[in-house]
Amino acid sequence: MPTVSSDLLDGVRAAGPLQLGIAPFGLVAGVAAVEQGLSVAHALGFSSLVFAGASQLAMIELLGADAPLAIVVGTAVVINLRTMMYSASIAPYFRDLTARSKALASYLLTDQAYAVSIARYGRDGETDRFAYYVGAGASLWLVWQVTTVAGALLGSGLPPELGFDFAAPLVFLALLVPTLKDRASGAACLVGGLVATGVVVAGVPFHLDIIVAAVVGVLAGLAVESLGGDA
């Protein structure tokens, strides 16, 4: 039976390939912070408190535009609503944890930590689930903080031709492709992607495009599954 330490290290290793996308994304967040007038210390504090790439960038942009604090916080909440779905999905595996452990798990919850953990839980019932999750989540957290500071220190010195803006989409593609195992998941992916593209073009307010696309994609997957689309 695997030990706690080996499961934690397994989580670190599972998150390793994803760090290649997280690192440049963190650099972009650091650069954006200093370009909007934040100090390196503020950038690090902001990154540690929020720890959510897309919402961090949105909040930094709004702060730079002198938007009201309620708008800044509200935008971050809306962008991160998807984590409620992650929480509901992974909660049964953490049912027996203490309140302190659950609080740590919620803080470390990201798209990447959720994806690698759920994939492992589904194929290995002997895993120390919390240790594996912390290994993945904490390693992602560490790389995010280090690269955010590096981006803040480098500032605008990073050449734009490096194309760091592509880091986030590549990370999500790396998470998505292995989950496409049947027609139901394929339908959810296709419909969700089409809806996301459509609602972005349509200009849905308050960054609700992710939530709308996710809900419609899930419904499409359920519909295909109910029609016998598991093959």
Side-chain angles (χ1 to χ4, degrees):
M1 181 175 181
T3 64
V4 171
S5 59
S6 68
D7 285 326
L8 188 145
L9 291 175
D10 283 347
V12 173
R13 284 190 286 266
L18 301 177
Q19 308 288 14
L20 297 175
I22 293 296
F25 197 12
L27 289 172
V28 170
V31 171
V34 295
E35 286 184 345
Q36 294 298 339
L38 296 181
S39 67
V40 174
H42 287 152
L44 176 59
F46 189 73
S47 186
S48 300
L49 180 64
V50 180
F51 187 40
S55 60
Q56 273 184 234
L57 292 174
M59 292 176 74
I60 289 170
E61 182 180 349
L62 290 171
L63 288 171
D66 294 323
L69 183 59
I71 297 297
V72 176
V73 174
T75 298
V77 170
V78 170
I79 292 175
N80 284 324
L81 281 176
R82 71 188 186 282
T83 60
M84 292 180 64
M85 295 186 289
Y86 299 160
S87 296
S89 172
I90 206 169
Y93 297 105
F94 294 160
R95 185 179 294 114
D96 297 328
L97 295 180
T98 64
R100 182 175 298 180
S101 295
K102 289 179 180 178
L104 176 61
S106 66
Y107 174 69
L108 293 176
L109 182 61
T110 60
D111 303 278
Q112 297 82 9
Y114 167 80
V116 297
S117 296
I118 283 293
R120 172 65 172 254
Y121 300 164
R123 65 174 183 268
D124 187 354
E126 297 299 315
T127 298
D128 183 324
R129 293 162 178 166
F130 184 64
Y132 184 89
Y133 177 87
V134 169
S139 63
L140 290 163
W141 180 90
L142 180 61
V143 170
W144 180 256
Q145 307 309 322
V146 170
T147 54
T148 297
V149 171
L153 290 172
L154 292 171
S156 57
L158 289 173
E161 58 267 18
L162 291 179
F164 286 155
D165 291 343
F166 288 99
L170 290 177
V171 170
F172 287 112
L173 281 174
L175 295 172
L176 172 66
V177 172
T179 68
L180 303 179
K181 299 177 179 179
D182 50 42
R183 284 196 287 268
S185 59
C189 172
L190 178 61
V191 173
L194 290 174
V195 172
T197 303
V199 295
V200 168
V201 173
V204 171
F206 307 119
H207 294 279
L208 287 172
D209 50 292
I210 297 175
I211 305 302
V212 173
V215 171
V216 175
V218 168
L219 292 176
L222 289 173
V224 171
E225 187 176 36
S226 67
L227 296 173
D230 291 335

